[in-house]
Amino acid sequence: MGRTAGRSPEDTRRALLTAAGDAVRSRGIHASLDEIARFAGVSKGGLIYHFASKDELILELARAQLVAFEATIAAALDPADTGPGRLTRAYLRAVLTPDGDDMASMALITLLMTVPAVAELARAEAARLDAELAADGLPPDVLALVVAAADGMSSAPMWGGSARTPAHRRVVERLIHLTRRPELWEEIPWSTAPPADPRAPRTVSPGPRR
């Protein structure tokens, strides 16, 4: 990052947060304020002027990542879509159409989550989002399935996989269809029998009668 002269204080803070994210991705969560200041192209004193401690900087960096994710979901809302599941469909689009920046953000928030204060912040944000999704008008089972599938597929690139294959796109289309017709879930002939006890002895078939 270049010089911060001529920027507003808010612009400078945003630029410093960007540099901090680059430093953490490069050096890890234990990157020092000196290293972060070098990435930002400012003195350590200039950095501390905006963020009094590394803990404050890391927490603000995490908060900025979470706010950006909220904005991604809001941008994915379809103004013409006013039916039940509207927010869930936006969530699907937000987490399953990632670009390079989104992958970098996911890697960064994974590193930041090792900090207890960040983990607490993220849990509070997740609880807030869960409450909004629960009020989105979908049956709980359908909502749980759709969100779990979206979260699982979105994490695939973190392990070298892909969430952009034709099969994944078909799954996304069907998940969205399920949010529009959740009654399809109830039409599946689910078994009502209790699950088998894995500790129970197996019954051996006597075989065909002779």
Side-chain angles (χ1 to χ4, degrees):
M1 190 184 88
R3 294 169 57 86
T4 59
R7 291 193 178 108
S8 71
E10 189 57 37
D11 287 342
T12 299
R13 282 176 64 89
R14 281 195 293 266
L16 290 171
L17 288 172
T18 298
D22 292 340
V24 171
R25 277 188 287 265
S26 176
R27 303 292 189 185
I29 196 63
H30 298 296
S32 67
L33 280 179
D34 287 316
E35 289 175 312
I36 294 172
R38 283 198 296 273
F39 267 79
V42 300
S43 68
K44 182 177 178 181
L47 178 59
I48 292 175
Y49 175 81
H50 291 278
F51 299 99
S53 67
K54 180 182 171 183
D55 288 345
E56 180 184 328
L57 174 60
I58 291 298
L59 195 58
E60 188 60 29
L61 177 58
R63 188 174 289 111
Q65 294 297 308
L66 293 172
V67 168
F69 180 58
E70 291 175 17
T72 301
I73 297 175
L77 286 166
D78 181 356
D81 184 356
T82 59
R86 176 175 182 259
L87 179 62
T88 307
R89 288 186 282 278
Y91 182 82
L92 276 168
R93 298 185 193 102
V95 301
L96 293 179
T97 55
D99 56 26
D101 289 341
D102 292 326
M103 290 299 99
S105 295
M106 186 182 297
L108 177 58
I109 198 66
T110 301
L111 287 168
L112 296 176
M113 283 284 287
T114 61
V115 178
V118 172
E120 183 179 350
L121 177 68
R123 281 193 293 269
E125 171 60 20
R128 183 198 63 78
L129 180 58
D130 285 346
E132 291 188 2
L133 289 169
D136 198 31
L138 294 178
D141 285 354
V142 172
L143 176 63
L145 171 69
V146 170
V147 171
D151 290 346
M153 286 191 290
S154 69
S155 67
M158 296 293 295
W159 315 109
S162 173
R164 294 188 171 189
T165 67
H168 282 95
R169 286 194 290 272
R170 286 194 298 272
V171 169
V172 174
E173 291 170 359
R174 291 179 180 183
L175 289 173
I176 289 177
H177 183 65
L178 181 59
T179 67
R180 296 187 187 282
R181 293 196 56 199
E183 69 276 7
L184 293 173
W185 177 260
E186 300 301 332
E187 293 175 5
I188 298 174
W190 300 108
S191 171
T192 58
D197 186 346
R199 297 168 299 179
R202 296 181 60 185
T203 300
V204 179
S205 170
R209 296 179 180 273
R210 294 183 180 276

